[in-house]
Amino acid sequence: MEPAEKYVVRPVRSQEWEAVREIRLASLRDPAAPIAFLETYETALARPEELWRERAGRFELDGSARQFVAEGADGRWWGSVTVLVEEAGAPLAFGETSDVRQAHLVGVYVRPEHRASGVTEALFLAAVEWARSLEGLERVRLYVHEDNARAQAFYRRFGFVPTGASVPVPSDPSKYEYEMVLEGSGDN
């Protein structure tokens, strides 16, 4: 399904720190935020301007991360996904380590009025294309909360499959985040 309006998917530029902050705060106000993100709105809101400036700069200048946005004709960001490059042997998001160099998709968010319009697919295509362009990258992965059925369904449609690995959610160890890997991107 094509959205009525046109948009472009592109990487974030370093001077766009305020928009990076705005879309992150919007994502954390979403009703699914407690099972979609490991950060709260209040925590993100309290972060200093310098953190947002550094984050936006890292996305543009540092080859270890890239944030992609879907930008409408009016300049408003419709959605976002971030790719973190994880080096083999380095500590990872949930305290584990990897034997391979991999990409980790995080911070997936599309504004409610743009869901089911192709925006999420376009964001993922850009993120995966960039990740696969990196030398020595062996797989693309993500984690999804056990109760986030909507996200799990999208990831499966896109080609992600469960690896069988899971980690407890830091804020609620009785719940789990399931690891999924993109088919054809390494050891799945």
Side-chain angles (χ1 to χ4, degrees):
M1 177 175 161
E2 285 295 313
E5 300 175 57
K6 294 293 181 190
Y7 63 94
V8 62
V9 174
R10 64 169 181 80
V12 166
R13 296 182 282 267
S14 60
Q15 69 272 21
E16 296 176 313
W17 69 270
E18 290 173 296
V20 168
R21 181 180 187 268
E22 187 281 327
I23 198 148
R24 180 62 174 181
L25 292 175
S27 71
L28 295 171
R29 284 190 298 264
D30 188 277
I35 61 169
F37 302 102
L38 299 177
E39 179 178 43
T40 66
Y41 174 81
E42 293 75 21
T43 301
L45 185 63
R47 295 194 187 284
E49 178 181 314
E50 188 57 32
L51 176 130
W52 299 105
R53 287 181 180 275
E54 287 174 11
R55 185 176 285 183
R58 176 180 179 206
F59 292 145
E60 183 177 21
L61 305 172
D62 183 344
S64 69
R66 184 72 40 100
Q67 182 176 6
F68 292 90
V69 294
E71 180 179 40
D74 63 356
R76 187 165 190 244
W77 290 1
W78 294 4
S80 173
V81 63
T82 299
V83 184
L84 304 176
V85 177
E86 299 173 328
E87 300 297 339
L92 303 179
F94 291 103
E96 78 276 39
T97 58
S98 174
D99 295 334
V100 300
R101 186 170 196 244
Q102 61 190 5
H104 186 169
L105 277 58
V106 299
V108 179
Y109 176 70
V110 173
R111 294 181 194 277
E113 64 271 23
H114 298 292
R115 293 179 185 154
S117 68
V119 171
T120 310
E121 290 86 350
L123 285 165
F124 266 61
L125 285 170
V128 169
E129 181 180 331
W130 179 76
R132 288 185 167 162
S133 75
L134 301 173
E135 187 175 324
L137 195 90
E138 295 191 33
R139 70 182 197 150
V140 178
R141 74 173 187 151
L142 54 78
Y143 278 96
V144 61
H145 192 283
E146 67 179 288
D147 295 334
N148 197 341
R150 183 182 73 199
Q152 287 180 40
F154 170 78
Y155 300 149
R156 286 178 194 275
R157 279 194 314 275
F158 195 85
F160 283 86
V161 294
T163 65
S166 64
V167 294
V169 174
S171 62
D172 181 0
S174 71
K175 296 289 185 171
Y176 287 87
E177 293 272 341
Y178 299 137
E179 183 186 52
M180 299 180 82
V181 67
L182 189 60
E183 286 187 308
S185 71
D187 62 304
N188 52 7

